[in-house]
Amino acid sequence: MTKTDIVILAAGKGTRMRSHLPKVLHKLAGKPLLSHVLDAADAIADANKIVVTGHGAETVRGSYSDGSFSMVEQTEQLGTAHAVQCALGQLRKQAKVVILYGDVPLITPLTIAKMLAAVDEKHIALLTIKLPDPSGYGRIIRDPDDQIEAIVEQKDATAEQLQVNEVNTGVMALTTELLASWIPKIGNNNAQGEYYLTDLIALARQAGYSVAGVQPISASEVEGINSRQQLAALERAYQLQLAEQLMASGTSLADPRRFDQRGTLSAGTDNFIDVNCLFEGSVTIGSGVSIGPNCHIIDSQIGDGVEINANTVIEHSTIGDRAILGPFARIRPGTQLGSNTKVGNFVETKKAIVGNGSKINHLSYVGDAELGENVNVGAGTITCNYDGVNKHKTEIGDNSFIGSNSTLIAPLSIGKEGFVAAGSTINSEVPLGNLAVGRGKQRNIAGWKRPTKNK
Ligand code: UD1
Ligand code: CA
């Protein structure tokens, strides 16, 4: 049996979130809870995914248009067994079925695989965990031979059963055939008047099947989200896991509790990341990189030996080896900095290709521009790339020097070895090796009398 059907329950209201957004669309590490579960399911070979939606079904459907899973709607939430029943029609014959939850985001492919390995025509698998405080959870009842016999919900449990600290995580796995034979037998004669999926365990035992208990690697795998407080707590726990993975791979963190990753981050070795940095989307970092405090890096590639100083923002850009940035640099989409470049404080770049060894050290805006190698852009230089309707390009050749406080009106081309006098406004081509001076001539007026105060 190699086919796997993964049913993800996501119909609940999530009342305690106090939100108009369906609970499973709230984000953990920048990604909807449901997407975490779908991604874990994707790692299982030949897995079909079926999401059971209910509250906010339209919103959930609208958030996923790639058709990589099917959705069934549970219009009335009559309990977890009823939710699974809604998905029965979508299940493949002779498949193993795993039940997961859209609000339990950190389940790992490894644990799902362990569950599947425990299932065959005679065995069903149940994911359980021992908790110091089991309150709220269904308790696992074992027989004198230590075999799992039943699950008793908190609200239906006796005082003695409430003492049990092994609990039901809700995750179970069994064959389509067994699931389809037992689900219709589950009733709702219990404290909540709900169809409990957990009753399936006792039915399995009565029919002579055995229930294999499987445990997750980490407790965070089975933690569910019911409130914003729980979401924030799981976020910190997850971020700490990501920080630990990064450190294990050879990057030092000034404080692993003040590190945030929302997406994928791949890094070489011997990097140092100071406090409060946020990495979003897909970021790669070379080796020997140092990142100062409060940096925000989004969908970018950072080369080797790069120094990013405090409060720098880098978005959809590529940074060459040994570049030095910031403090307070803003690198906007489409920037490509060559090796050994420098982009200093209060410099904004956008769609700027900057050749090796070029420097833009202070207080500049360089947008829609292509700079050659070893160009020096003086403080306060502005590329005027926008005429109010269209964007235009500025090209600056190798070894050019742009004096401070220059205004470069695009479209504009400055030849190699060009030299722009400080304070110039330049709007026509500067030929190779020329000095361009575009400013009023200085006049000195001798014997000038200062104004005096009116009587
Ligand atoms: C359930 C288990 C309990 C276990 C706990 C772990 C049952 C009866 N109890 O309790 O043994 O310890 O999970 O967290 O299964 N859902 C639907 N449709 C429904 C009802 C629920 O999709 O009709 C979804 C909810 O969105 C939620 C999940 O199923 O994600 C669990 O439902 P909930 O009612 O919260 O079950 P618990 O009381 O937590
Ligand atoms: Ca409940």
Side-chain angles (χ1 to χ4, degrees), residues 18-342:
R18 297 201 182 283
S19 176
H20 293 296
L21 190 67
K23 178 164 71 172
V24 294
L25 296 183
H26 280 260
K27 287 177 179 171
L28 180 86
K31 189 163 87 174
L33 299 176
L34 179 57
S35 298
H36 283 269
V37 184
L38 289 166
D39 288 352
D42 271 338
I44 305 298
D46 192 19
N48 265 5
K49 293 163 287 177
I50 303 107
V51 176
V52 180
T53 55
H55 281 279
E58 279 315 307
T59 315
V60 175
R61 194 185 307 276
S63 306
Y64 296 92
S65 47
D66 65 349
S68 68
F69 58 89
S70 44
M71 266 192 209
V72 292
E73 205 172 322
Q74 183 196 22
T75 41
E76 248 188 313
Q77 281 70 58
L78 303 179
T80 44
H82 177 251
V84 170
Q85 184 164 36
C86 295
L88 284 181
Q90 305 286 319
L91 302 180
R92 293 176 291 180
K93 287 195 174 70
Q94 302 213 310
K96 293 181 182 180
V97 184
V98 185
I99 315 287
L100 301 178
Y101 298 82
D103 58 358
V104 184
L106 295 185
I107 188 81
T108 62
L110 199 61
T111 296
I112 300 173
K114 268 166 61 180
M115 297 284 293
L116 289 168
V119 169
D120 58 29
E121 282 84 355
K122 281 268 132 202
H123 293 84
I124 79 173
L126 183 68
L127 192 66
T128 76
I129 188 170
K130 286 188 175 160
L131 293 178
D133 175 13
S135 50
Y137 289 91
R139 306 300 203 278
I140 302 294
I141 308 304
R142 288 181 180 260
D143 67 15
D145 297 327
D146 209 31
Q147 296 300 302
I148 297 175
E149 197 169 34
I151 301 169
V152 178
E153 290 303 294
Q154 160 113 6
K155 286 178 181 151
D156 302 292
T158 64
E160 193 191 343
Q161 289 168 332
L162 287 174
Q163 298 304 309
V164 174
N165 71 348
E166 183 182 13
V167 304
N168 172 34
T169 65
V171 176
M172 62 174 76
L174 68 170
T175 65
T176 309
E177 285 67 26
L178 292 180
L179 182 66
S181 71
W182 291 325
I183 286 284
K185 297 195 174 136
I186 294 175
N188 65 349
N189 182 19
N190 52 52
Q192 300 186 85
E194 284 180 16
Y195 295 88
Y196 291 166
L197 181 61
T198 46
D199 285 354
L200 193 141
I201 301 301
L203 287 171
R205 282 303 304 268
Q206 282 157 27
Y209 292 83
S210 57
V211 180
V214 173
Q215 281 70 46
I217 297 144
S218 140
S220 61
E221 283 193 66
V222 296
E223 228 154 287
I225 302 299
N226 296 301
S227 67
R228 292 174 193 264
Q229 291 90 325
Q230 285 172 344
L231 181 59
L234 195 62
E235 174 82 31
R236 286 334 304 158
Y238 183 52
Q239 290 300 338
L240 193 57
Q241 284 176 17
L242 294 173
E244 275 163 7
Q245 281 168 23
L246 188 60
M247 290 190 289
S249 76
T251 289
S252 289
L253 297 176
D255 183 354
R257 292 181 184 278
R258 284 182 287 170
F259 163 83
D260 282 271
Q261 178 183 328
R262 300 180 193 151
T264 57
L265 173 58
S266 77
T269 58
D270 297 301
N271 302 305
F272 173 76
I273 300 175
D274 216 320
V275 297
N276 297 330
C277 290
L278 168 58
F279 299 85
E280 266 189 88
S282 162
V283 176
T284 59
I285 295 176
S287 290
V289 173
S290 130
I291 304 179
N294 309 321
C295 291
H296 186 183
I297 303 180
I298 307 145
D299 290 315
S300 294
Q301 289 81 48
I302 314 293
D304 293 329
V306 172
E307 178 183 325
I308 301 170
N309 293 297
N311 302 297
T312 291
V313 178
I314 303 174
E315 191 175 355
H316 289 285
S317 292
T318 308
I319 311 299
D321 297 343
R322 296 172 304 282
I324 302 177
L325 285 78
F328 296 98
R330 170 136 194 246
I331 311 298
R332 290 175 50 206
T335 298
Q336 293 174 34
L337 302 183
S339 56
N340 300 298
T341 48
K342 260 191 96 175

